[in-house]
Amino acid sequence: MLSRTHRLTDPDSFRVAVRQGRRAGTSRLVVHLWHADEVAPARVGFVVSKAVGPAVVRNRVKRRLRHLARESLRDLPGSAVLVVRANPAAADATYEELGADLGRCVQRVMS
């Protein structure tokens, strides 16, 4: 589980990260990274729409992504806002496949 300080819950931050941040994607995930002007810890938010599947599948994808994102927090710069959006192909992905995609996307938006 992500600690409260690392959770992105503000709708405006989601909007700014998606519109102004750098983007990288795969068939399963799209990642948006934006550097906030404020001094704050890195925060991560998730978007898993109903297109991914029923509630059980969406929740499983979110749980996996939260766990993987927690491991990726140390790689993010301070005050970074990371939004991870799951595509419908994420429903059938294994934990390892999601991890590889997330790592690849984070590396691309950071470079």
Side-chain angles (χ1 to χ4, degrees):
M1 187 61 96
L2 284 172
S3 66
R4 185 172 296 279
T5 58
H6 294 294
R7 291 184 206 154
L8 181 64
T9 57
D10 179 31
D12 292 331
S13 296
F14 271 94
R15 192 174 306 110
V16 170
V18 170
R19 290 185 182 167
Q20 296 178 6
R22 293 179 48 114
R23 180 177 62 123
T26 64
S27 61
R28 297 178 189 100
L29 300 175
V30 177
V31 170
H32 301 269
L33 180 69
W34 177 65
H35 296 283
D37 295 334
E38 62 197 37
V39 176
R43 295 176 294 159
V44 182
F46 303 95
V47 179
V48 183
S49 73
K50 287 184 179 180
V52 172
V56 172
V57 174
R58 291 193 312 267
N59 287 330
R60 182 179 61 229
V61 169
K62 279 188 278 191
R63 276 194 313 271
R64 289 177 176 177
L65 289 173
R66 269 196 307 265
H67 187 266
L68 291 164
R70 185 181 64 187
E71 295 172 0
S72 299
L73 276 174
R74 63 180 169 272
D75 298 333
L76 296 176
S79 73
V81 175
L82 183 71
V83 175
V84 180
R85 183 169 44 95
N87 290 333
D92 300 324
T94 64
Y95 179 79
E96 291 79 18
E97 291 170 337
L98 285 176
D101 283 354
L102 183 62
R104 194 174 320 121
C105 289
V106 169
Q107 289 301 319
R108 276 195 267 166
V109 294
M110 299 234 336
S111 61

